[in-house]
Amino acid sequence: MNLQATVCGFIAVLFLISCDADTSGLGGSLTPQGDVMTVINDSCFATSRTIKAADSLIIMTSQCNLGRFTEEVSGSTIESAYLTQLNCMENLQLADSVYGIGSFVFPQWFIDKVGDQKPYYAQLKLYYTSFFGDPANPIKIEVFPLNTMIDPETRYYPDVDPSLFCDLQAGPIASVTVSGLNMQDSDSLRSLPGYYPSITIPLPDSLAGTILESYYNPATRHYFADSRSFMENLCKGFYIRCTQGDGTMFYISRSIMSVNFKYIGFDDDDEPIMESRMVEFQGNSEVLQLNSIKWTGLDGQLADNSCTWIRGPFGLLTEITLPVDQMRDNDYVLNAAQLRISTAVTPSSKYKPTIPSLLLLIRKDTLNEFFAKNNMTDKVESFVAPYSSKYGTYTYENIAAMIEKMYSDRADWIDHNRGDNAAYEQACPDWNKVLLVPVSANADSRNTAISYNLDIMLRQVKLIGGDTPIKIKTIRS
C-alpha cells in the first residue's frame, strides 16, 4: 500500500472530524524519517452574491401553493396560484341512471324523497397539509376553467402565465372566502382523529349536468375512457388563485372535483331506496399541476451586499464563486475542502418564514438537468447539507471532488479547443460558480433520501457573505 496515500487519507479524515484541530505536525509524526511528505493545512476565500431564481428551478411536485404573503421587514410579497388537471378513472362506471339526467322516468316516491334537494351538483375541494401565516386572515379564492390543455411534453416553470390556459377576462366560475382556521367545517369535525382540512368551493350545477349527460349519452360515453379523453372533451382543469387578503399561504396537497348525484339503489332486503353518491376527479401525481408564483419587492435584498439571501420558493438564491485555481495548485493534491456557510440574524416578526432545513450546493450550469431529472446528489457536482440550529450553519464537509471536476473540465475544453483560460471563461462564464438552493428530500421506506425536489414552502435565510468572503478550509499534500 502507498504509505503517502494512507497518511494523506488519514489526515483528511482528521480534518473533517475536527476542523479546528492542529494537523500541521501529523505528517512528520506518522511518516518514517525517510518518507516525509509536505502537508498544507490552509484556507482560501470564496465570494458570494444574491441572484434571482432562474427558470431552471422546475417544480416537480404534487404540492401547490395558494395565497399571498407580504414579509413584514423587507416588504416583499409572494403571490402563488396554481393550475391543475383532473384525473379520470379508466372506463369509469356509474349507476344505470341518475335523477335529472336522460329520459329515465323515476317513480313518484323517489321524486317525493328528493323534494327540494338538488338532483346533482359539483364542488371542488382543496385539501391542505398546513398553511403559513395568520389563521384568522380571510382570503378570497377564485376558480377559472382551463380552455387550453396543459401540454405534457412542455416544460413549465413556476412563473407560468395562467392567461395562456384560461380567459381571465371572462371572470371566475366560482369563488369562496376562507381562512386558515377553516370555519367551513364544524368544531366537532375538526376535532376528529385523522381530520384533513380542506377548502370547499361550490361549482356551477351546469358543470355537473354536462359531465353526467355526457356519461349517459352513448355517443359521448368514450369521454370517460381515460384521463386524456376526459380532459380533452369535458374538463381541461382549473386555474385557482387568491384575489383578496394578504398574510396566508395554503400548502395544497390534493384538488378533487366531486360530482354528486341521486339514483335508485337497494337496501339489504332488496327494496328500492334513494341513494346519493359522488364520483371524484382528482388532481394528483398522475396528471399535471403547475404552480404560478410571482414575487415583488425583492430589489432591496438583491442589492444588499452586506450579506446574501435565499427566499423561497422561486425568489432569491445565493451564488458562490469558488477560487478553483487557488485551491487546486498543480504542485499539490487537494485532499479535502470544507465549505461552511454561516447564517445571520434577521429581525423578528410575527409571521416569519422558516429557515430551509436542507440546502443543495450545486454547480450552476448543472442546475437545469438536476431538477429536470429529479436527481440524487452525486457528491461531485452536487451536495446537500442540513441546517445546524446549534451553530447556525450549513456545512459541506468535503467539496474537493467538485473543485477537481471544475479544474479538469476547463483543462479538457482548452485541450479540445486549443484555447486558453480567458477563452474558456468567456465561453463558460459559470464554470466555477455554484448555487445554494432550498430542497426537500424524497425518502424511501428506510427514511433514506433517494432524490430531492425544490422546497416550495415559504423559506427565508440570510447568509454571511456578499462583502464578507466565505472561508474554505483545505488540506493539500
Side-chain angles (χ1 to χ4, degrees), residues 216-277:
Y216 290 102
N217 184 344
T220 53
R221 176 68 69 86
H222 65 278
Y223 291 173
F224 300 87
D226 52 42
S227 294
R228 182 74 183 182
S229 181
F230 176 79
M231 288 186 289
E232 287 179 344
N233 295 286
L234 286 175
C235 182
K236 294 177 174 59
F238 297 107
Y239 169 58
I240 305 165
R241 72 179 185 184
C242 166
T243 56
Q244 295 179 16
D246 189 338
T248 305
M249 185 69 67
F250 290 96
Y251 301 130
I252 308 295
S253 60
R254 286 187 297 164
S255 304
I256 300 179
M257 178 180 70
S258 62
V259 176
N260 299 260
F261 54 89
K262 304 182 188 308
Y263 68 100
I264 295 178
F266 296 90
D267 61 16
D268 294 339
D269 297 324
D270 208 26
E271 293 294 327
I273 57 173
M274 186 188 79
E275 294 267 34
S276 295
R277 289 289 184 271

Short mmCIF file of all heavy atoms in Angstrom, two decimals, residues 216-277:
data_model
loop_
_atom_site.label_atom_id
_atom_site.label_comp_id
_atom_site.label_asym_id
_atom_site.label_seq_id
_atom_site.Cartn_x
_atom_site.Cartn_y
_atom_site.Cartn_z
N TYR A 216 -74.15 9.49 -19.82
CA TYR A 216 -75.32 8.70 -20.17
C TYR A 216 -75.73 8.84 -21.63
O TYR A 216 -76.73 8.27 -22.05
CB TYR A 216 -76.48 9.07 -19.24
CG TYR A 216 -76.23 8.57 -17.83
CD1 TYR A 216 -75.80 9.44 -16.84
CD2 TYR A 216 -76.38 7.22 -17.51
CE1 TYR A 216 -75.54 8.98 -15.56
CE2 TYR A 216 -76.13 6.76 -16.25
CZ TYR A 216 -75.70 7.64 -15.28
OH TYR A 216 -75.43 7.17 -14.00
N ASN A 217 -74.96 9.56 -22.39
CA ASN A 217 -75.17 9.63 -23.84
C ASN A 217 -74.22 8.64 -24.52
O ASN A 217 -73.00 8.79 -24.42
CB ASN A 217 -74.90 11.05 -24.33
CG ASN A 217 -75.19 11.21 -25.81
OD1 ASN A 217 -75.32 10.24 -26.56
ND2 ASN A 217 -75.30 12.46 -26.25
N PRO A 218 -74.73 7.63 -25.20
CA PRO A 218 -73.85 6.63 -25.83
C PRO A 218 -72.83 7.24 -26.78
O PRO A 218 -71.73 6.69 -26.94
CB PRO A 218 -74.84 5.72 -26.58
CG PRO A 218 -76.14 5.89 -25.86
CD PRO A 218 -76.17 7.31 -25.40
N ALA A 219 -73.19 8.37 -27.39
CA ALA A 219 -72.27 8.99 -28.34
C ALA A 219 -71.06 9.63 -27.67
O ALA A 219 -70.04 9.88 -28.32
CB ALA A 219 -73.03 10.03 -29.17
N THR A 220 -71.18 9.91 -26.37
CA THR A 220 -70.08 10.59 -25.68
C THR A 220 -69.54 9.79 -24.49
O THR A 220 -68.71 10.29 -23.75
CB THR A 220 -70.53 11.98 -25.19
OG1 THR A 220 -71.73 11.83 -24.41
CG2 THR A 220 -70.81 12.90 -26.36
N ARG A 221 -70.01 8.57 -24.30
CA ARG A 221 -69.53 7.75 -23.19
C ARG A 221 -68.01 7.54 -23.26
O ARG A 221 -67.35 7.41 -22.21
CB ARG A 221 -70.25 6.39 -23.20
CG ARG A 221 -69.75 5.39 -22.14
CD ARG A 221 -70.10 5.83 -20.72
NE ARG A 221 -71.52 5.77 -20.48
CZ ARG A 221 -72.18 4.69 -20.08
NH1 ARG A 221 -71.53 3.56 -19.85
NH2 ARG A 221 -73.48 4.74 -19.87
N HIS A 222 -67.44 7.57 -24.46
CA HIS A 222 -65.99 7.33 -24.59
C HIS A 222 -65.17 8.46 -23.98
O HIS A 222 -63.95 8.33 -23.83
CB HIS A 222 -65.62 7.15 -26.06
CG HIS A 222 -65.83 8.37 -26.90
ND1 HIS A 222 -67.06 8.71 -27.42
CD2 HIS A 222 -64.96 9.34 -27.30
CE1 HIS A 222 -66.94 9.84 -28.11
NE2 HIS A 222 -65.68 10.24 -28.05
N TYR A 223 -65.80 9.56 -23.63
CA TYR A 223 -65.07 10.64 -22.95
C TYR A 223 -64.47 10.17 -21.64
O TYR A 223 -63.53 10.77 -21.12
CB TYR A 223 -65.99 11.83 -22.66
CG TYR A 223 -66.47 12.60 -23.87
CD1 TYR A 223 -67.43 13.61 -23.73
CD2 TYR A 223 -66.00 12.33 -25.15
CE1 TYR A 223 -67.88 14.34 -24.82
CE2 TYR A 223 -66.45 13.04 -26.25
CZ TYR A 223 -67.40 14.05 -26.08
OH TYR A 223 -67.86 14.76 -27.15
N PHE A 224 -65.03 9.10 -21.07
CA PHE A 224 -64.61 8.61 -19.77
C PHE A 224 -63.68 7.40 -19.88
O PHE A 224 -63.45 6.70 -18.89
CB PHE A 224 -65.83 8.26 -18.93
CG PHE A 224 -66.75 9.43 -18.69
CD1 PHE A 224 -67.74 9.75 -19.61
CD2 PHE A 224 -66.61 10.23 -17.57
CE1 PHE A 224 -68.59 10.84 -19.41
CE2 PHE A 224 -67.44 11.31 -17.36
CZ PHE A 224 -68.43 11.63 -18.28
N ALA A 225 -63.14 7.17 -21.06
CA ALA A 225 -62.26 6.02 -21.25
C ALA A 225 -60.96 6.17 -20.47
O ALA A 225 -60.42 5.21 -19.94
CB ALA A 225 -61.96 5.82 -22.74
N ASP A 226 -60.44 7.40 -20.39
CA ASP A 226 -59.21 7.67 -19.65
C ASP A 226 -59.12 9.17 -19.38
O ASP A 226 -59.96 9.95 -19.82
CB ASP A 226 -57.98 7.18 -20.43
CG ASP A 226 -57.94 7.71 -21.86
OD1 ASP A 226 -58.25 8.90 -22.07
OD2 ASP A 226 -57.62 6.93 -22.77
N SER A 227 -58.08 9.56 -18.66
CA SER A 227 -57.93 10.95 -18.26
C SER A 227 -57.75 11.88 -19.45
O SER A 227 -58.28 12.99 -19.48
CB SER A 227 -56.74 11.11 -17.30
OG SER A 227 -57.00 10.45 -16.08
N ARG A 228 -56.99 11.43 -20.43
CA ARG A 228 -56.73 12.27 -21.59
C ARG A 228 -58.02 12.61 -22.31
O ARG A 228 -58.28 13.78 -22.66
CB ARG A 228 -55.76 11.56 -22.55
CG ARG A 228 -55.37 12.37 -23.78
CD ARG A 228 -54.40 13.46 -23.42
NE ARG A 228 -54.08 14.29 -24.56
CZ ARG A 228 -53.22 15.30 -24.53
NH1 ARG A 228 -52.60 15.58 -23.40
NH2 ARG A 228 -52.97 16.03 -25.59
N SER A 229 -58.86 11.62 -22.54
CA SER A 229 -60.12 11.84 -23.23
C SER A 229 -61.05 12.72 -22.40
O SER A 229 -61.73 13.61 -22.94
CB SER A 229 -60.79 10.50 -23.53
OG SER A 229 -62.00 10.69 -24.22
N PHE A 230 -61.05 12.50 -21.09
CA PHE A 230 -61.89 13.32 -20.20
C PHE A 230 -61.47 14.78 -20.25
O PHE A 230 -62.32 15.68 -20.36
CB PHE A 230 -61.79 12.78 -18.77
CG PHE A 230 -62.54 13.59 -17.75
CD1 PHE A 230 -63.92 13.45 -17.61
CD2 PHE A 230 -61.88 14.50 -16.93
CE1 PHE A 230 -64.62 14.21 -16.67
CE2 PHE A 230 -62.56 15.25 -15.99
CZ PHE A 230 -63.94 15.10 -15.87
N MET A 231 -60.17 15.03 -20.22
CA MET A 231 -59.69 16.41 -20.21
C MET A 231 -59.91 17.09 -21.56
O MET A 231 -60.29 18.25 -21.63
CB MET A 231 -58.21 16.44 -19.82
CG MET A 231 -57.96 16.13 -18.35
SD MET A 231 -56.24 16.32 -17.84
CE MET A 231 -55.47 14.91 -18.67
N GLU A 232 -59.70 16.37 -22.63
CA GLU A 232 -59.85 16.96 -23.96
C GLU A 232 -61.30 17.34 -24.25
O GLU A 232 -61.56 18.35 -24.90
CB GLU A 232 -59.35 15.98 -25.02
CG GLU A 232 -57.83 15.86 -25.07
CD GLU A 232 -57.38 14.86 -26.12
OE1 GLU A 232 -58.25 14.06 -26.58
OE2 GLU A 232 -56.20 14.86 -26.48
N ASN A 233 -62.23 16.56 -23.72
CA ASN A 233 -63.63 16.74 -24.11
C ASN A 233 -64.53 17.38 -23.06
O ASN A 233 -65.54 18.00 -23.41
CB ASN A 233 -64.23 15.39 -24.51
CG ASN A 233 -63.58 14.80 -25.73
OD1 ASN A 233 -63.81 15.25 -26.85
ND2 ASN A 233 -62.74 13.79 -25.54
N LEU A 234 -64.17 17.23 -21.79
CA LEU A 234 -65.10 17.68 -20.75
C LEU A 234 -64.52 18.71 -19.78
O LEU A 234 -65.14 19.72 -19.50
CB LEU A 234 -65.61 16.47 -19.95
CG LEU A 234 -66.64 15.60 -20.67
CD1 LEU A 234 -66.96 14.37 -19.83
CD2 LEU A 234 -67.91 16.39 -20.96
N CYS A 235 -63.35 18.45 -19.24
CA CYS A 235 -62.80 19.36 -18.24
C CYS A 235 -61.27 19.35 -18.34
O CYS A 235 -60.62 18.39 -17.93
CB CYS A 235 -63.24 18.94 -16.83
SG CYS A 235 -62.65 20.04 -15.53
N LYS A 236 -60.72 20.42 -18.88
CA LYS A 236 -59.28 20.51 -19.07
C LYS A 236 -58.56 20.82 -17.76
O LYS A 236 -57.34 20.71 -17.67
CB LYS A 236 -58.95 21.57 -20.12
CG LYS A 236 -59.44 21.21 -21.52
CD LYS A 236 -59.15 22.32 -22.51
CE LYS A 236 -59.51 21.89 -23.93
NZ LYS A 236 -60.93 21.52 -24.07
N GLY A 237 -59.31 21.23 -16.75
CA GLY A 237 -58.72 21.54 -15.46
C GLY A 237 -59.14 22.91 -14.97
O GLY A 237 -60.05 23.54 -15.53
N PHE A 238 -58.47 23.39 -13.93
CA PHE A 238 -58.83 24.67 -13.32
C PHE A 238 -57.59 25.48 -13.00
O PHE A 238 -56.51 24.93 -12.72
CB PHE A 238 -59.62 24.45 -12.02
CG PHE A 238 -60.94 23.76 -12.20
CD1 PHE A 238 -61.10 22.45 -11.80
CD2 PHE A 238 -62.01 24.42 -12.79
CE1 PHE A 238 -62.32 21.80 -11.96
CE2 PHE A 238 -63.23 23.78 -12.95
CZ PHE A 238 -63.38 22.47 -12.54
N TYR A 239 -57.77 26.80 -13.04
CA TYR A 239 -56.78 27.74 -12.51
C TYR A 239 -57.36 28.31 -11.23
O TYR A 239 -58.49 28.82 -11.22
CB TYR A 239 -56.50 28.84 -13.52
CG TYR A 239 -55.70 30.00 -12.96
CD1 TYR A 239 -54.44 29.80 -12.39
CD2 TYR A 239 -56.21 31.31 -13.01
CE1 TYR A 239 -53.71 30.86 -11.87
CE2 TYR A 239 -55.48 32.38 -12.50
CZ TYR A 239 -54.23 32.15 -11.93
OH TYR A 239 -53.51 33.20 -11.43
N ILE A 240 -56.62 28.22 -10.14
CA ILE A 240 -57.12 28.61 -8.82
C ILE A 240 -56.18 29.67 -8.25
O ILE A 240 -54.96 29.45 -8.16
CB ILE A 240 -57.19 27.38 -7.89
CG1 ILE A 240 -58.04 26.28 -8.55
CG2 ILE A 240 -57.77 27.76 -6.54
CD1 ILE A 240 -57.88 24.93 -7.91
N ARG A 241 -56.74 30.80 -7.86
CA ARG A 241 -55.91 31.91 -7.39
C ARG A 241 -56.55 32.60 -6.18
O ARG A 241 -57.74 32.44 -5.91
CB ARG A 241 -55.69 32.93 -8.50
CG ARG A 241 -56.93 33.76 -8.84
CD ARG A 241 -56.64 34.77 -9.93
NE ARG A 241 -57.80 35.65 -10.17
CZ ARG A 241 -57.84 36.58 -11.12
NH1 ARG A 241 -56.81 36.75 -11.93
NH2 ARG A 241 -58.92 37.34 -11.26
N CYS A 242 -55.73 33.38 -5.48
CA CYS A 242 -56.19 34.22 -4.38
C CYS A 242 -56.25 35.66 -4.89
O CYS A 242 -55.29 36.16 -5.48
CB CYS A 242 -55.21 34.11 -3.22
SG CYS A 242 -55.41 35.36 -1.95
N THR A 243 -57.39 36.32 -4.68
CA THR A 243 -57.54 37.68 -5.19
C THR A 243 -57.69 38.73 -4.10
O THR A 243 -57.49 39.91 -4.36
CB THR A 243 -58.77 37.78 -6.12
OG1 THR A 243 -59.94 37.35 -5.40
CG2 THR A 243 -58.58 36.92 -7.35
N GLN A 244 -58.04 38.35 -2.91
CA GLN A 244 -58.17 39.30 -1.81
C GLN A 244 -57.59 38.68 -0.55
O GLN A 244 -57.69 37.48 -0.34
CB GLN A 244 -59.64 39.68 -1.58
CG GLN A 244 -60.28 40.43 -2.73
CD GLN A 244 -61.75 40.75 -2.45
OE1 GLN A 244 -62.20 40.68 -1.32
NE2 GLN A 244 -62.50 41.09 -3.48
N GLY A 245 -57.01 39.53 0.28
CA GLY A 245 -56.41 39.04 1.51
C GLY A 245 -54.91 38.91 1.38
O GLY A 245 -54.39 38.63 0.30
N ASP A 246 -54.21 39.13 2.47
CA ASP A 246 -52.76 39.05 2.49
C ASP A 246 -52.34 38.54 3.86
O ASP A 246 -52.79 39.05 4.88
CB ASP A 246 -52.16 40.43 2.22
CG ASP A 246 -50.66 40.39 2.00
OD1 ASP A 246 -50.02 39.43 2.45
OD2 ASP A 246 -50.13 41.34 1.38
N GLY A 247 -51.47 37.53 3.86
CA GLY A 247 -50.97 37.03 5.13
C GLY A 247 -51.11 35.54 5.33
O GLY A 247 -50.75 35.03 6.39
N THR A 248 -51.62 34.83 4.31
CA THR A 248 -51.82 33.39 4.45
C THR A 248 -51.38 32.68 3.17
O THR A 248 -51.65 33.15 2.07
CB THR A 248 -53.28 33.05 4.73
OG1 THR A 248 -53.72 33.76 5.88
CG2 THR A 248 -53.47 31.56 4.96
N MET A 249 -50.70 31.55 3.36
CA MET A 249 -50.33 30.69 2.24
C MET A 249 -50.72 29.26 2.58
O MET A 249 -50.27 28.68 3.56
CB MET A 249 -48.82 30.76 1.98
CG MET A 249 -48.37 30.00 0.75
SD MET A 249 -48.92 30.74 -0.81
CE MET A 249 -47.98 32.28 -0.79
N PHE A 250 -51.61 28.68 1.76
CA PHE A 250 -52.03 27.29 1.94
C PHE A 250 -51.10 26.37 1.13
O PHE A 250 -50.74 26.69 0.00
CB PHE A 250 -53.47 27.09 1.45
CG PHE A 250 -54.50 27.73 2.31
CD1 PHE A 250 -55.01 28.99 2.00
CD2 PHE A 250 -54.99 27.09 3.44
CE1 PHE A 250 -55.96 29.59 2.79
CE2 PHE A 250 -55.96 27.68 4.24
CZ PHE A 250 -56.45 28.94 3.92
N TYR A 251 -50.76 25.24 1.73
CA TYR A 251 -49.98 24.22 1.04
C TYR A 251 -50.95 23.11 0.62
O TYR A 251 -51.31 22.23 1.42
CB TYR A 251 -48.88 23.68 1.94
CG TYR A 251 -47.91 24.75 2.40
CD1 TYR A 251 -47.58 24.89 3.74
CD2 TYR A 251 -47.35 25.64 1.49
CE1 TYR A 251 -46.69 25.87 4.17
CE2 TYR A 251 -46.45 26.63 1.90
CZ TYR A 251 -46.13 26.74 3.23
OH TYR A 251 -45.26 27.72 3.65
N ILE A 252 -51.38 23.15 -0.63
CA ILE A 252 -52.41 22.25 -1.14
C ILE A 252 -51.78 20.93 -1.58
O ILE A 252 -50.86 20.91 -2.40
CB ILE A 252 -53.16 22.89 -2.34
CG1 ILE A 252 -53.67 24.29 -1.97
CG2 ILE A 252 -54.30 21.98 -2.78
CD1 ILE A 252 -54.72 24.32 -0.91
N SER A 253 -52.29 19.84 -1.07
CA SER A 253 -51.76 18.52 -1.42
C SER A 253 -52.63 17.80 -2.45
O SER A 253 -52.14 16.99 -3.24
CB SER A 253 -51.64 17.63 -0.18
OG SER A 253 -52.91 17.47 0.44
N ARG A 254 -53.96 18.07 -2.43
CA ARG A 254 -54.86 17.42 -3.38
C ARG A 254 -55.98 18.37 -3.77
O ARG A 254 -56.48 19.12 -2.93
CB ARG A 254 -55.49 16.15 -2.79
CG ARG A 254 -54.56 14.96 -2.68
CD ARG A 254 -55.35 13.73 -2.23
NE ARG A 254 -55.93 13.91 -0.90
CZ ARG A 254 -56.89 13.16 -0.40
NH1 ARG A 254 -57.41 12.18 -1.14
NH2 ARG A 254 -57.36 13.37 0.82
N SER A 255 -56.35 18.33 -5.03
CA SER A 255 -57.51 19.09 -5.53
C SER A 255 -58.48 18.08 -6.13
O SER A 255 -58.10 17.34 -7.05
CB SER A 255 -57.09 20.11 -6.58
OG SER A 255 -56.09 20.98 -6.08
N ILE A 256 -59.69 18.02 -5.61
CA ILE A 256 -60.65 17.00 -6.04
C ILE A 256 -61.96 17.65 -6.45
O ILE A 256 -62.57 18.37 -5.65
CB ILE A 256 -60.91 15.97 -4.93
CG1 ILE A 256 -59.60 15.27 -4.53
CG2 ILE A 256 -61.94 14.95 -5.38
CD1 ILE A 256 -59.76 14.26 -3.42
N MET A 257 -62.38 17.40 -7.68
CA MET A 257 -63.71 17.80 -8.10
C MET A 257 -64.64 16.61 -7.91
O MET A 257 -64.37 15.51 -8.42
CB MET A 257 -63.73 18.23 -9.58
CG MET A 257 -65.13 18.62 -10.06
SD MET A 257 -65.21 19.13 -11.79
CE MET A 257 -64.90 17.57 -12.63
N SER A 258 -65.72 16.82 -7.17
CA SER A 258 -66.70 15.75 -6.97
C SER A 258 -68.00 16.12 -7.66
O SER A 258 -68.43 17.28 -7.61
CB SER A 258 -66.93 15.50 -5.48
OG SER A 258 -67.47 16.65 -4.86
N VAL A 259 -68.60 15.15 -8.30
CA VAL A 259 -69.93 15.31 -8.91
C VAL A 259 -70.88 14.44 -8.11
O VAL A 259 -70.73 13.21 -8.05
CB VAL A 259 -69.92 14.91 -10.39
CG1 VAL A 259 -71.32 14.99 -10.97
CG2 VAL A 259 -68.97 15.81 -11.18
N ASN A 260 -71.86 15.07 -7.48
CA ASN A 260 -72.80 14.38 -6.60
C ASN A 260 -74.13 14.17 -7.33
O ASN A 260 -74.62 15.06 -8.02
CB ASN A 260 -73.02 15.19 -5.34
CG ASN A 260 -71.74 15.40 -4.54
OD1 ASN A 260 -71.48 14.72 -3.57
ND2 ASN A 260 -70.93 16.36 -4.98
N PHE A 261 -74.74 13.00 -7.16
CA PHE A 261 -75.99 12.70 -7.87
C PHE A 261 -76.82 11.70 -7.05
O PHE A 261 -76.34 11.12 -6.08
CB PHE A 261 -75.70 12.13 -9.25
CG PHE A 261 -74.79 10.92 -9.24
CD1 PHE A 261 -75.31 9.64 -9.12
CD2 PHE A 261 -73.42 11.07 -9.37
CE1 PHE A 261 -74.49 8.53 -9.11
CE2 PHE A 261 -72.58 9.97 -9.36
CZ PHE A 261 -73.11 8.70 -9.24
N LYS A 262 -78.08 11.51 -7.48
CA LYS A 262 -79.03 10.62 -6.80
C LYS A 262 -79.52 9.56 -7.78
O LYS A 262 -79.73 9.85 -8.97
CB LYS A 262 -80.19 11.42 -6.22
CG LYS A 262 -79.74 12.54 -5.28
CD LYS A 262 -80.90 13.29 -4.69
CE LYS A 262 -80.43 14.52 -3.91
NZ LYS A 262 -79.40 14.22 -2.92
N TYR A 263 -79.73 8.38 -7.27
CA TYR A 263 -80.17 7.27 -8.11
C TYR A 263 -80.91 6.24 -7.26
O TYR A 263 -80.92 6.33 -6.02
CB TYR A 263 -78.98 6.62 -8.81
CG TYR A 263 -78.04 5.89 -7.88
CD1 TYR A 263 -78.10 4.50 -7.76
CD2 TYR A 263 -77.11 6.59 -7.10
CE1 TYR A 263 -77.25 3.83 -6.90
CE2 TYR A 263 -76.26 5.93 -6.25
CZ TYR A 263 -76.34 4.55 -6.15
OH TYR A 263 -75.51 3.87 -5.30
N ILE A 264 -81.52 5.28 -7.92
CA ILE A 264 -82.25 4.23 -7.20
C ILE A 264 -81.28 3.10 -6.83
O ILE A 264 -80.63 2.51 -7.70
CB ILE A 264 -83.39 3.66 -8.06
CG1 ILE A 264 -84.45 4.73 -8.32
CG2 ILE A 264 -84.03 2.46 -7.38
CD1 ILE A 264 -85.59 4.27 -9.20
N GLY A 265 -81.18 2.85 -5.53
CA GLY A 265 -80.39 1.74 -5.05
C GLY A 265 -81.27 0.74 -4.34
O GLY A 265 -82.51 0.83 -4.41
N PHE A 266 -80.68 -0.20 -3.63
CA PHE A 266 -81.46 -1.24 -2.95
C PHE A 266 -80.87 -1.49 -1.57
O PHE A 266 -79.64 -1.50 -1.39
CB PHE A 266 -81.45 -2.54 -3.77
CG PHE A 266 -82.13 -2.39 -5.10
CD1 PHE A 266 -81.41 -2.00 -6.23
CD2 PHE A 266 -83.50 -2.62 -5.23
CE1 PHE A 266 -82.04 -1.84 -7.46
CE2 PHE A 266 -84.13 -2.47 -6.45
CZ PHE A 266 -83.40 -2.07 -7.57
N ASP A 267 -81.76 -1.70 -0.59
CA ASP A 267 -81.31 -1.96 0.77
C ASP A 267 -81.00 -3.44 0.95
O ASP A 267 -81.01 -4.21 -0.02
CB ASP A 267 -82.34 -1.47 1.78
CG ASP A 267 -83.68 -2.18 1.63
OD1 ASP A 267 -83.73 -3.25 0.98
OD2 ASP A 267 -84.68 -1.67 2.19
N ASP A 268 -80.76 -3.84 2.19
CA ASP A 268 -80.38 -5.23 2.47
C ASP A 268 -81.51 -6.21 2.16
O ASP A 268 -81.26 -7.41 1.93
CB ASP A 268 -79.98 -5.38 3.94
CG ASP A 268 -78.70 -4.62 4.25
OD1 ASP A 268 -77.95 -4.33 3.30
OD2 ASP A 268 -78.47 -4.29 5.44
N ASP A 269 -82.74 -5.71 2.14
CA ASP A 269 -83.89 -6.57 1.82
C ASP A 269 -84.26 -6.47 0.35
O ASP A 269 -85.35 -6.92 -0.06
CB ASP A 269 -85.09 -6.18 2.68
CG ASP A 269 -84.83 -6.40 4.17
OD1 ASP A 269 -84.15 -7.40 4.49
OD2 ASP A 269 -85.28 -5.58 4.98
N ASP A 270 -83.36 -5.89 -0.42
CA ASP A 270 -83.56 -5.74 -1.86
C ASP A 270 -84.74 -4.84 -2.20
O ASP A 270 -85.37 -4.99 -3.25
CB ASP A 270 -83.73 -7.12 -2.53
CG ASP A 270 -83.27 -7.11 -3.99
OD1 ASP A 270 -82.41 -6.26 -4.32
OD2 ASP A 270 -83.79 -7.90 -4.78
N GLU A 271 -85.04 -3.90 -1.31
CA GLU A 271 -86.09 -2.94 -1.55
C GLU A 271 -85.48 -1.66 -2.13
O GLU A 271 -84.41 -1.23 -1.70
CB GLU A 271 -86.83 -2.60 -0.25
CG GLU A 271 -87.63 -3.75 0.33
CD GLU A 271 -88.79 -4.15 -0.56
OE1 GLU A 271 -89.35 -3.26 -1.23
OE2 GLU A 271 -89.13 -5.36 -0.59
N PRO A 272 -86.15 -1.04 -3.12
CA PRO A 272 -85.60 0.17 -3.74
C PRO A 272 -85.58 1.34 -2.76
O PRO A 272 -86.53 1.57 -2.01
CB PRO A 272 -86.53 0.43 -4.91
CG PRO A 272 -87.82 -0.24 -4.54
CD PRO A 272 -87.45 -1.43 -3.74
N ILE A 273 -84.47 2.08 -2.78
CA ILE A 273 -84.32 3.26 -1.94
C ILE A 273 -83.62 4.36 -2.74
O ILE A 273 -83.02 4.09 -3.79
CB ILE A 273 -83.49 2.96 -0.67
CG1 ILE A 273 -82.10 2.40 -1.05
CG2 ILE A 273 -84.23 2.01 0.26
CD1 ILE A 273 -81.17 2.23 0.13
N MET A 274 -83.70 5.59 -2.24
CA MET A 274 -82.96 6.67 -2.88
C MET A 274 -81.53 6.68 -2.33
O MET A 274 -81.32 6.68 -1.12
CB MET A 274 -83.61 8.02 -2.60
CG MET A 274 -82.94 9.17 -3.36
SD MET A 274 -83.53 10.81 -2.89
CE MET A 274 -82.62 11.06 -1.37
N GLU A 275 -80.58 6.66 -3.22
CA GLU A 275 -79.17 6.70 -2.84
C GLU A 275 -78.55 8.00 -3.34
O GLU A 275 -78.92 8.51 -4.40
CB GLU A 275 -78.41 5.52 -3.45
CG GLU A 275 -78.84 4.16 -2.90
CD GLU A 275 -77.99 3.71 -1.73
OE1 GLU A 275 -77.56 4.60 -0.96
OE2 GLU A 275 -77.76 2.51 -1.60
N SER A 276 -77.60 8.51 -2.58
CA SER A 276 -76.81 9.66 -3.01
C SER A 276 -75.35 9.23 -3.08
O SER A 276 -74.82 8.64 -2.12
CB SER A 276 -76.96 10.82 -2.03
OG SER A 276 -78.28 11.31 -2.01
N ARG A 277 -74.72 9.49 -4.18
CA ARG A 277 -73.33 9.10 -4.39
C ARG A 277 -72.59 10.25 -5.07
O ARG A 277 -73.18 11.21 -5.54
CB ARG A 277 -73.24 7.85 -5.25
CG ARG A 277 -73.70 6.58 -4.56
CD ARG A 277 -72.70 6.14 -3.49
NE ARG A 277 -73.09 4.87 -2.90
CZ ARG A 277 -73.86 4.72 -1.85
NH1 ARG A 277 -74.39 5.80 -1.28
NH2 ARG A 277 -74.15 3.53 -1.36
#
